[in-house]
Amino acid sequence: MTEKRPFDVLNNALNKNVLVKLKGDLEIRGTLASFDVHMNLVVKDGEELKNGELKRKLGTVLLRGDTVVFVSPAE
Amino acid sequence: MTEKRPFDVLNNALNKNVLVKLKGDLEIRGTLASFDVHMNLVVKDGEELKNGELKRKLGTVLLRGDTVVFVSPAE
Amino acid sequence: MTEKRPFDVLNNALNKNVLVKLKGDLEIRGTLASFDVHMNLVVKDGEELKNGELKRKLGTVLLRGDTVVFVSPAE
Amino acid sequence: MTEKRPFDVLNNALNKNVLVKLKGDLEIRGTLASFDVHMNLVVKDGEELKNGELKRKLGTVLLRGDTVVFVSPAE
Amino acid sequence: MTEKRPFDVLNNALNKNVLVKLKGDLEIRGTLASFDVHMNLVVKDGEELKNGELKRKLGTVLLRGDTVVFVSPAE
Amino acid sequence: MTEKRPFDVLNNALNKNVLVKLKGDLEIRGTLASFDVHMNLVVKDGEELKNGELKRKLGTVLLRGDTVVFVSPAE
Amino acid sequence: MTEKRPFDVLNNALNKNVLVKLKGDLEIRGTLASFDVHMNLVVKDGEELKNGELKRKLGTVLLRGDTVVFVSPAE
């Protein structure tokens, strides 16, 4: 799984667990289900974290790309 | 109901209950009535929440796409 | 009055009372007189609200689209 | 003076007194001298207000469109 | 010196003293040396002001257009 | 390794250690694995720093370009 | 060295010492090595300043254009 372009990270992370940091100190953890060129992301079994603690379970969640700070796949 | 692209989540959520988080710690809960490519959303029977508590009932509300942080359909 | 696209809400709200929430916790209440594709809005008999209380009467006011958070027609 | 499009408000307000609210709780009051499609505005005899009080007299001032929150002509 | 378009203010202010307010409560005072369509500005003999007081002398300074709030020529 | 254009710095830093400062006082340190024209970056063995201290290890992380403040290669 | 357009300031400052103010009260001082039309800048021997005091030495640093507030060449 080579990653020559940044979005290859998203492609390789499909159906895997990811941590997404959003602007405003919010984080979502869950399974990456889809993404597009704007970095809009769908996460399944999403959990909202605040300061590293589980705040609530969201299930499926569509994250707007321009609020994303980073996406980190679990390893 | 497959979801290959992020916006499929919105399409599958039409006429269903959604939770929308907006920038500035504001949330709207209600029935998704329509959306467009900018992620502008119309929610019917919308309720404005602040810190998880009902702040007021808004009825129909048009949410501007660029203020959306995430959209999560009820499951 | 069907609303298949988000902007149909604005079209149906012309000459009716609307509540507009702007970025920065400001709200304008009044009669929607016109709008364009950028969501620039003109409100007549506009009142500026802060934390739900009347701050001042503005009369006619042109609201810049990119400061809009949501628009909710009175029902 | 009909106003079918939002910018008609600006056209009708030329050479008249306007109140302009800018992002960051700043307001400018003065005579609207010109505007363009980006909502860049020129105000003559401009006064800078902070919390409704006169802060200083600016004379002619060019306001950058993307800092505008609203424009309200005096009635 | 007629000013039919907002940028005419900049054209008429070339080589004259201007006050430029930037986002974040920063102000620059000096001689306008050049500008472009993005409202990028060059000010010569620029002084940085904070809350109306001289903070430091900058000499020549290129101001990025999208940080400009307003430009006011001295009269 | 000449650097005539800003992005040459990124090209020369591939597979080397970089420090990336993001908006919101967050920093990521790790090995630059890829980048694109939007300045989206992939960092391997990424560490999240807050106020200069290690906050957590992230492994691979995709950083969204519009949250980048600066990128500094280790020397 | 005439400067008819704002970017001429950058061109004339190549290989010279500059002070760059970024959004968020951060400043970088160093030698301007390259720039592009987005105002992305590369500074060599860059020093990060906070409130006018040296915070750390960064060496080469690529500054993202949309975080720039101003660039001031040393005179």
Side-chain angles (χ1 to χ4, degrees), chain C residues 58-62, chain D residues 9 17-21 70-74:
Chain C
L58 290 169
T60 298
V61 59
L62 164 61
Chain D
V9 167
N17 201 40
V18 294
L19 173 71
V20 185
K21 189 174 185 81
F70 67 64
V71 183
S72 180

Side-chain angles (χ1 to χ4, degrees), chain B residues 22 26 28 33-36 40-42 44 48 50 55-56 58-67, chain C residues 3-7 9-10 19 21 23 25 27 37-39 65-73 75:
Chain B
L22 304 175
L26 190 73
I28 305 287
S34 71
F35 66 91
D36 64 20
N40 294 318
L41 306 173
V42 174
K44 301 261 182 187
E48 186 179 340
K50 189 101 186 175
K55 195 174 151 196
R56 61 183 162 177
L58 290 168
T60 297
V61 60
L62 164 60
L63 306 173
R64 188 173 160 91
D66 70 0
T67 70
Chain C
E3 289 167 355
K4 292 200 167 169
R5 293 164 303 178
F7 274 69
V9 166
L10 296 180
L19 173 71
K21 189 175 186 79
K23 289 175 188 164
D25 263 326
E27 295 184 341
V37 295
H38 304 290
M39 221 180 273
D66 71 0
T67 69
V68 171
V69 176
F70 67 64
V71 184
S72 180
E75 297 191 325

Side-chain angles (χ1 to χ4, degrees), chain F residues 16-44:
Chain F
K16 295 185 185 155
N17 201 40
V18 293
L19 174 71
V20 185
K21 189 173 185 81
L22 304 176
K23 289 174 187 165
D25 264 327
L26 190 73
E27 295 184 340
I28 305 287
R29 196 166 49 190
T31 305
L32 184 65
S34 70
F35 67 91
D36 64 20
V37 294
H38 304 291
M39 222 181 272
N40 294 318
L41 307 172
V42 174
V43 171
K44 301 262 182 185

Side-chain angles (χ1 to χ4, degrees), chain A residues 9-69:
Chain A
V9 167
L10 296 180
N11 208 42
N12 289 337
L14 279 171
N15 303 312
K16 296 185 184 154
N17 201 40
V18 293
L19 173 71
V20 185
K21 188 172 186 82
L22 304 176
K23 289 174 187 164
D25 264 327
L26 190 73
E27 295 184 341
I28 305 288
R29 195 166 50 190
T31 305
L32 184 65
S34 69
F35 66 92
D36 64 20
V37 294
H38 304 291
M39 222 181 272
N40 295 318
L41 306 173
V42 175
V43 171
K44 301 261 183 187
D45 301 319
E47 293 177 329
E48 186 180 340
L49 310 174
K50 190 100 185 176
N51 299 320
E53 308 221 336
L54 178 62
K55 195 174 151 196
R56 61 182 162 177
K57 299 192 175 209
L58 290 168
T60 297
V61 60
L62 165 60
L63 307 173
R64 188 173 161 89
D66 70 1
T67 71
V68 171
V69 175

Side-chain angles (χ1 to χ4, degrees), chain E:
Chain E
M1 293 197 298
T2 60
E3 290 168 354
K4 293 199 167 169
R5 293 163 303 177
F7 274 70
D8 291 343
V9 166
L10 296 180
N11 209 43
N12 289 335
L14 279 172
N15 301 314
K16 296 184 184 156
N17 201 40
V18 293
L19 173 71
V20 185
K21 189 173 185 81
L22 304 176
K23 289 174 187 163
D25 264 326
L26 189 72
E27 295 184 341
I28 304 288
R29 196 165 48 189
T31 305
L32 184 66
S34 70
F35 66 91
D36 65 19
V37 295
H38 304 291
M39 222 181 272
N40 294 318
L41 307 173
V42 174
V43 171
K44 299 261 182 186
D45 300 320
E47 294 177 328
E48 186 180 339
L49 310 174
K50 189 100 186 179
N51 299 320
E53 309 221 335
L54 178 63
K55 196 173 150 197
R56 61 182 161 176
K57 299 192 176 208
L58 290 168
T60 297
V61 59
L62 165 60
L63 306 173
R64 187 173 160 90
D66 71 359
T67 70
V68 171
V69 175
F70 68 64
V71 183
S72 180
E75 298 190 324

Side-chain angles (χ1 to χ4, degrees), chain F residues 36 57-58 63 75:
Chain F
D36 64 20
K57 299 192 176 208
L58 290 168
L63 307 173
E75 296 190 325

